[in-house]
Amino acid sequence: MDIAKRDNANPILRPSDLKPCIEGMEITCLLNPGVFRMNGLTWLLLRVAERPRQQEGKISFPVYNAKGEIEVLTFDKDDPALDATDPRVIQYKGNYYLTTLSYLRLVCSEDGVHFREDPAYPPIFGQGPLESFGIEDCRVATTADGYFLTFTEVSPVAVGVGLIETRDFQSLTRHGMIFPPHNKDCALWEEKVGGMYYAFHRPSSPELGGNYIWLAESPDRIHWGRHHCVATTRPGKWDSVRVGAGAAPIRTERGWLEIYHGANEQNRYCLGALLLDLDDPTRVIARSEEPIMEPIAEYEQTGFFGNVVFTNGQVVEGDTIHIYYGASDEVICSARLSISEILNSLHA
Ligand code: MAN
């Protein structure tokens, strides 16, 4: 059952609300923001996806070349070696490319609904060969030691998880890849448990296994071990093909509450929740049978890639979770969920 209360102002941000950062490009999609509070404001770290304005009969997309400069590649749409059936990814002669190049961009707000850019906070672009197809879907963990950003690093060799540390979003420390390929959907926890740092991550296994949520421990947030699988996909259900963590989990009296996304064979993305033991988070206490949020609004059903609600950022205030989410891989929306209502909806 969908228990999310969508904001009346949805979508709160659309591609046309911002100017492209890369010369000669257009903003195709705004997606899946990381969320945090800083200087009394709510901030979204948006994933912005850009590409060149498309010409009739062609597909063009940007990549970083070996010198770190943006280069545009163009294929003929009717080239038999091209598979462009997925609007997000194309295949050409056995190689994969993304149709857009993503980077991260900050917007801030007093009221959590109307967002603006502040020129003092520059965008964060991919850097180096492991990010040559861009960086995506950033989670922001707010900790006593500053902000920790985990995001997908995409390149021709891999999809993995990168880590950036910052105190002010003006100077950044890049720690490189912390979870090797194929891995994404990494959410660092905001407090230690039993003296260790924790992270959800989502390795993909092509043979045995699948696209499951795992939990790992670390002494320093850089070296990760003691991996445990905490949620698998469930055949026949809304989360039958892939699952992945959202933002950092929320500490509740009944356990750690995590909102996650699940997709089925039709690539329909919904949200559900997991509850983990407070002292031993590898132990799953309960999980959603039905989604707590589904793509039902018009802007969640149609867009760049329709039938998607995807969240990786939230602000918690008492019993209310203000989630920010990407709808149809194109626009940014917000909704409220009640922690007690989610907890009461879970099944052991
Ligand atoms: C999938 C989707 C895309 C993303 C690529 C690479 O195809 O999640 O949005 O760009 O993976 O991460």
Side-chain angles (χ1 to χ4, degrees), residues 85-322:
T85 44
D86 188 319
R88 306 166 301 173
V89 199
I90 54 185
Q91 253 195 78
Y92 186 74
K93 295 191 173 159
N95 293 319
Y96 286 88
Y97 302 90
L98 297 184
T99 55
T100 58
L101 182 74
S102 292
Y103 61 91
L104 308 174
R105 195 150 148 187
L106 285 159
V107 290
C108 60
S109 166
E110 272 85 20
D111 62 5
V113 180
H114 302 92
F115 285 85
R116 62 167 195 280
E117 290 193 272
D118 179 336
Y121 296 89
I124 305 176
F125 291 103
Q127 249 180 29
L130 295 181
E131 300 176 355
S132 63
F133 284 0
I135 52 176
E136 308 179 343
D137 302 346
C138 188
R139 279 76 172 167
V140 179
T142 303
T143 78
D145 314 319
Y147 301 100
F148 288 83
L149 283 51
T150 50
F151 49 89
T152 308
E153 300 179 283
V154 194
S155 74
V157 292
V159 170
V161 176
L163 176 69
I164 288 178
E165 179 178 353
T166 183
R167 288 195 173 262
D168 53 14
F169 285 87
Q170 285 168 326
S171 84
L172 309 175
T173 307
R174 297 188 187 235
H175 290 294
M177 192 177 275
I178 55 167
F179 288 102
H182 184 282
N183 207 311
K184 47 165 65 172
D185 300 322
C186 174
L188 288 190
W189 293 37
E190 296 181 332
E191 357 170 353
K192 287 185 177 176
V193 182
M196 297 300 273
Y197 297 107
Y198 274 81
F200 291 116
H201 62 111
R202 210 285 299 280
S204 295
S205 173
E207 285 137 11
L208 288 176
N211 301 296
Y212 304 159
I213 302 175
W214 288 66
L215 188 62
E217 280 180 34
S218 170
D220 58 7
R221 299 188 181 95
I222 293 173
H223 305 90
W224 294 90
R226 288 196 222 269
H227 300 270
H228 282 91
C229 181
V230 291
T232 62
T233 49
R234 297 177 293 187
K237 286 198 189 296
W238 57 277
D239 52 4
S240 57
V241 171
R242 61 182 73 88
V243 288
I250 302 162
R251 178 192 268 283
T252 75
E253 276 170 18
R254 291 199 238 165
W256 296 101
L257 178 64
E258 175 66 14
I259 298 179
Y260 72 92
H261 66 264
N264 65 9
E265 283 76 4
Q266 285 73 46
N267 276 318
R268 183 171 189 265
Y269 280 74
C270 299
L271 304 181
L274 277 178
L275 188 67
L276 309 176
D277 186 271
L278 281 181
D279 302 316
D280 175 10
T282 63
R283 199 170 76 79
V284 179
I285 302 170
R287 181 169 173 182
S288 298
E289 284 294 317
E290 298 300 324
I292 55 173
M293 185 169 185
E294 302 183 61
I296 49 180
E298 193 271 328
Y299 49 82
E300 297 163 353
Q301 292 182 336
T302 39
F304 184 75
F305 192 73
N307 283 315
V308 172
V309 291
F310 187 108
T311 188
N312 49 271
Q314 64 207 11
V315 174
V316 180
E317 254 183 320
D319 185 60
T320 304
I321 312 175
H322 301 268

Side-chain angles (χ1 to χ4, degrees), residues 25-103:
M25 305 283 148
E26 62 171 26
I27 297 181
T28 315
C29 321
L30 299 181
L31 309 100
N32 319 340
V35 182
F36 59 99
R37 300 269 308 163
M38 183 171 70
N39 307 333
L41 302 174
T42 299
W43 294 76
L44 306 184
L45 186 52
L46 305 169
R47 168 180 168 197
V48 180
E50 299 194 2
R51 69 176 177 199
R53 244 169 240 111
Q54 302 295 293
Q55 304 150 258
E56 194 65 30
K58 311 256 183 213
I59 286 197
S60 313
F61 54 91
V63 297
Y64 294 106
N65 66 20
K67 288 188 227 138
E69 301 155 348
I70 302 261
E71 203 174 288
V72 173
L73 302 184
T74 301
F75 296 133
D76 284 327
K77 270 195 176 153
D78 55 14
D79 189 326
L82 179 76
D83 177 354
T85 44
D86 188 319
R88 306 166 301 173
V89 199
I90 54 185
Q91 253 195 78
Y92 186 74
K93 295 191 173 159
N95 293 319
Y96 286 88
Y97 302 90
L98 297 184
T99 55
T100 58
L101 182 74
S102 292
Y103 61 91

